[in-house]
Amino acid sequence: MAQARESLELPSNNVTDKGLDRDCTTLSRHVLQQLQSFSPEAQDLSALMNRIALAGKLIARRLSRAGLMEGVLGFTGDVNVQGESVKKMDVYANDVFIGVFKQSGLVCRLASEEMERPYYIPENCPIGRYTLLYDPIDGSSNTDTNLSLGSIFAIRQQEGNDLDGEALDLLAPGRKQLAAGYILYGPSTMLIYTIGKGVHSFTLDPSLGEFILTEENIRIPNHGPVYSVNEGNFWQWDESIREYIRYVHRTEGYTARYSGAMVSDIHRILLQGGVFLYPGTLPKPEGKLRLLYESAPLAFVIEQAGGRATTGHMEILDVVPKKLHQRVPLIIGSPKDVAKVESFIQNGH
Ligand code: P6P
């Protein structure tokens, strides 16, 4: 019997199973933990993040089967407000966010790269206190080649009643964001977010249908080897940017990485350090990237991780947009690397 008892030795009941604890940390629970509160505002934010997660699951599911379905890939034949050819995935993802937030009851307006004007959900507006700003698919050029893509989101408090539908309260600096982050559709689907209390990552477990906590309080390295920029624009840049590129070409320790989806490139920089640039060009000095639903959300995340994001002359989060689809030059990443780029822009070296 003694022999049998030894083989039956049970683990002591004070052993906490880290894996089990982590598997139970879902996104909505994590938001409440972050806020250490069950206030109506905390519950709202938790519910909003849950909706973002649902949108991410629906988009990830579509992308994972795109090659097996009719009508998912390719172009719609339309051109969006940005003057860009629209992919079918752009439209699908844009509609997914509208659909999941209609059900939420919390969001009155959605502003997206794909829509000239904000989309209003009238039934939500009397109580809807939040606005979702998003880029439904970042990196559309990668949809038909099965490469990484992203969705970028920011949540802002609605200020005033916007009776004229001009959404002028959205023309406020990025420091007004309540929450921001991105979903990365890669080998796995990840969701990275901040509500101003650090940066946290979640990985979608398809078998559970849940985003599970993966890393808390992510800190960007002070410096890293990666510089991420489309060098095909080299001769359209200002001389100061060309001088920076010549500097990294001749200096040991730098490596170029550029995927065509900045969510993917910036996620790499968040973890390994470095700098992503989309500078202005001579024909387009304001650059390509949109402030309200691309640069500002990513700037919030990177600043919360200890990094920086600037136009080259001003912190991204301090820029006051003049219009909904305003573009800004973007230099974002590790503090030391962003400062290096700035030194070329501001001092010519
Ligand atoms: P280019 C995707 O359209 C995007 O907004 C970013 O995700 C990406 O880094 C950039 O544009 C790619 O633009 O001009 O280098 O092809």
Side-chain angles (χ1 to χ4, degrees):
M1 179 58 89
Q3 179 62 28
R5 190 183 297 281
E6 278 163 16
S7 67
L8 279 177
E9 186 179 339
L10 299 175
S12 62
N13 60 14
N14 66 350
V15 171
T16 55
D17 177 338
K18 283 275 183 270
L20 182 60
D21 185 45
R22 186 170 77 172
D23 278 355
C24 297
T25 305
T26 60
L27 181 61
S28 48
R29 180 179 147 203
H30 191 262
V31 172
L32 293 173
Q33 283 175 344
Q34 285 281 302
L35 293 168
Q36 295 175 336
S37 155
F38 285 92
S39 68
E41 294 72 21
Q43 299 274 12
D44 284 356
L45 219 38
S46 178
L48 288 165
M49 288 308 302
N50 225 14
R51 291 281 124 186
I52 297 279
L54 177 57
K57 293 178 207 173
L58 290 165
I59 294 166
R61 184 180 67 173
R62 183 93 165 182
L63 287 169
S64 70
R65 299 188 302 190
L68 302 170
M69 298 164 68
E70 289 298 318
V72 175
L73 298 175
F75 291 93
T76 63
D78 299 327
V79 174
N80 66 14
V81 63
Q82 321 293 343
E84 297 164 344
S85 298
V86 178
K87 288 285 188 67
K88 292 173 185 171
M89 266 311 297
D90 290 321
V91 174
Y92 173 80
N94 194 66
D95 292 349
V96 160
F97 277 93
I98 291 172
V100 301
F101 277 93
K102 262 185 179 172
Q103 300 160 1
S104 76
L106 292 168
V107 164
C108 167
R109 299 172 304 190
L110 296 94
S112 152
E113 173 181 303
E114 299 303 328
M115 302 186 291
E116 183 162 5
R117 296 178 54 72
Y119 181 98
Y120 285 77
I121 306 173
E123 61 271 27
N124 289 355
C125 289
I127 54 151
R129 295 177 291 284
Y130 304 96
T131 300
L132 176 77
L133 298 106
Y134 65 113
D135 180 3
I137 293 288
D138 168 68
S140 298
S141 59
N142 290 353
T143 47
D144 299 355
T145 51
N146 192 35
L147 296 176
S148 293
L149 294 161
S151 298
I152 307 170
F153 62 87
I155 295 167
R156 294 190 183 213
Q157 191 97 36
Q158 178 166 327
E159 294 182 2
N161 50 32
D162 187 19
L163 289 178
D164 61 4
E166 291 303 315
L168 295 178
D169 62 301
L170 290 181
L171 303 184
R175 300 209 184 277
K176 287 272 190 180
Q177 295 172 111
L178 293 177
Y182 56 87
I183 301 163
L184 174 59
Y185 310 102
S188 69
T189 297
M190 295 192 78
L191 187 151
I192 285 80
Y193 89 103
T194 183
I195 55 173
K197 295 175 179 294
V199 175
H200 318 287
S201 70
F202 291 72
T203 302
L204 179 62
D205 180 337
S207 66
L208 291 174
E210 284 286 2
F211 280 99
I212 300 298
L213 179 64
T214 305
E215 192 173 349
E216 280 190 304
N217 301 313
I218 299 171
R219 302 299 291 171
I220 190 170
N222 187 45
H223 163 62
V226 175
Y227 73 97
S228 184
V229 67
N230 183 344
E231 296 199 38
N233 297 326
F234 186 86
W235 289 109
Q236 295 181 47
W237 290 329
D238 183 85
E239 183 59 21
S240 60
I241 299 291
R242 290 204 288 261
E243 277 302 297
Y244 169 72
I245 297 298
R246 293 183 185 111
Y247 163 79
V248 295
H249 284 173
R250 68 174 178 266
T251 306
E252 278 296 308
Y254 285 96
T255 188
R257 291 286 184 275
Y258 193 75
S259 75
M262 71 172 163
V263 162
S264 181
D265 294 325
I266 291 173
H267 185 68
R268 176 192 290 112
I269 286 166
L270 172 65
L271 301 182
Q272 297 175 357
V275 62
F276 173 92
L277 307 88
Y278 206 102
T281 58
L282 297 177
K284 294 181 180 174
E286 75 285 356
K288 170 182 183 181
L289 303 176
R290 276 63 54 153
L291 173 62
L292 277 169
Y293 40 78
E294 289 181 312
S295 300
L298 294 171
F300 190 11
V301 169
I302 293 297
E303 268 204 15
Q304 278 288 311
R308 284 192 56 215
T310 173
T311 63
H313 301 283
M314 185 177 187
E315 298 304 299
I316 291 289
L317 291 181
D318 294 329
V319 178
V320 179
K322 296 181 181 60
K323 54 186 180 181
L324 190 65
H325 298 292
Q326 175 165 333
R327 299 171 192 263
V328 286
L330 177 64
I331 299 151
I332 185 169
S334 298
K336 196 171 173 189
D337 300 300
V338 170
K340 175 57 78 176
V341 180
E342 279 178 320
S343 71
F344 282 85
I345 294 173
Q346 292 165 6
N347 313 318
H349 62 75

